[in-house]
Amino acid sequence: MADAHTPPAAPAEASTPAAPRQQTIALVDDDRNILTTVSIGLQAEGFATRVYTDGEAALKALLENPPDLAIFDIKMPRMDGLHLLKALREKSSLPVIFLTSRDEEPDEALGLAMGADDYITKPFSQRLLVARIRAILRRSDLARTAPEDTSHADLPEPVVRGRLQLDPARHQVTWDGKPVSLTVTEFLILEAMALRPGVVKSRNQLMDAAYSEDVYVDDRTIDSHIKRLRRKFRAVDPEFGAIDTLYGAGYAFTDG
């Protein structure tokens, strides 16, 4: 009987790297022309987009199915962008960019103080908007996009200072083992202080750590972020006092 013939094994196919996950941007504006223009432009840059013309409907959707970043107009009926941000920040640290008109500068400052990550003034260039989006997404390192294996040498190491632990690779913060939810901007401000405990960081140094160089914020914005940081930590520890104010100089983290 003839020997059974085993066909030669087929050559192994070269593995193809997995395509990067498409990032999603949510747009909230009552101006349908702006929604259409910006959405088409972002899709051409490789982003997926979702659009909402109503703040109340957007809030529900943003909480139930979070995108990677959201862009809010300020002046909208029913729920304007500021109220939308305030409601969102009660439950989410989703990165947010405001689109504002030139006559809304007080709203710009208020929006940043409330936890927005950036603002862009109308009329704006699509190129500038995309650059700002990419900068915030690079900074955010959201937990859902971080690699599961944290043993890689190129991943930033967690920062441990006393009862504080920050994990930049997963954008996670704990105090005494209890999670504290921070926005991208709040995280970067805290990280800048915690990396050198006891060293006073001026407001300008904290601005440089938290914002791209073409974003201007004033001292009051940094002060507002510090107040929000203290409030969030005191929600898990009423005795929290690890962020010191040195009047006229800046702020320091002192639990290191």
Side-chain angles (χ1 to χ4, degrees):
M1 183 173 66
D3 293 336
H5 174 69
T6 303
E13 295 183 3
S15 59
T16 302
R21 183 182 65 84
Q22 188 177 36
Q23 294 171 307
T24 300
I25 311 299
L27 308 172
V28 189
D29 198 315
D30 62 325
D31 187 329
R32 294 182 182 274
N33 290 330
I34 288 180
L35 284 178
T36 300
T37 301
V38 174
S39 182
I40 291 174
L42 292 180
Q43 290 171 19
E45 294 289 335
F47 295 104
T49 59
R50 305 176 197 151
V51 299
Y52 307 93
T53 58
D54 178 273
E56 291 181 355
L59 177 62
K60 185 175 185 293
L62 294 175
L63 292 174
E64 290 181 351
N65 186 19
D68 293 279
L69 181 144
I71 300 173
F72 297 167
D73 184 26
I74 288 184
K75 296 295 178 66
M76 295 184 293
R78 295 183 63 188
M79 178 183 281
D80 65 24
L82 293 173
H83 285 90
L84 175 57
L85 177 64
K86 181 179 180 181
L88 181 68
R89 282 291 173 257
E90 293 176 356
K91 299 181 179 180
S92 171
S93 58
L94 174 74
V96 171
I97 295 175
F98 269 131
L99 291 181
T100 69
S101 298
R102 292 191 183 277
D103 60 352
E104 296 169 354
E105 288 187 1
D107 289 341
E108 294 173 2
L110 180 58
L112 288 171
M114 291 169 59
D117 295 284
D118 203 345
Y119 68 85
I120 296 176
T121 303
K122 299 175 182 177
F124 59 91
S125 80
Q126 189 80 9
R127 181 178 299 177
L128 172 63
L129 177 60
V130 170
R132 296 282 184 86
I133 289 172
R134 294 196 190 284
I136 291 175
L137 291 176
R138 282 195 302 270
R139 289 186 295 155
S140 65
D141 286 329
L142 297 176
R144 65 178 178 272
T145 62
E148 289 299 320
D149 182 3
T150 57
S151 64
H152 289 86
D154 58 346
L155 291 177
E157 293 291 328
V159 177
V160 180
R161 298 289 184 267
R163 290 167 286 177
L164 175 72
Q165 180 165 331
L166 300 96
D167 186 347
R170 286 182 163 75
H171 190 76
Q172 292 176 348
V173 180
T174 61
W175 179 260
D176 270 343
K178 301 173 183 176
V180 182
S181 178
L182 303 182
T183 67
V184 174
T185 304
E186 291 163 355
F187 186 98
L188 292 171
I189 290 173
L190 179 62
E191 182 183 37
M193 292 187 291
L195 285 173
R196 300 193 67 189
V199 175
V200 178
K201 290 285 187 177
S202 70
R203 291 172 176 84
N204 284 337
Q205 288 174 318
L206 295 177
M207 290 177 199
D208 291 342
Y211 293 96
S212 56
E213 62 183 16
D214 53 354
V215 177
Y216 171 77
V217 296
D218 61 20
D219 291 356
R220 292 173 299 171
T221 299
I222 295 299
D223 294 343
S224 295
H225 283 307
I226 294 293
K227 289 179 182 178
R228 289 176 58 83
L229 279 167
R230 286 174 172 150
R231 185 163 62 246
K232 288 184 175 183
F233 277 92
R234 285 171 182 162
V236 301
D237 178 7
E239 302 300 318
F240 176 83
I243 299 177
D244 284 351
T245 302
L246 284 87
Y247 292 98
Y251 299 96
F253 182 82
T254 57
D255 199 68

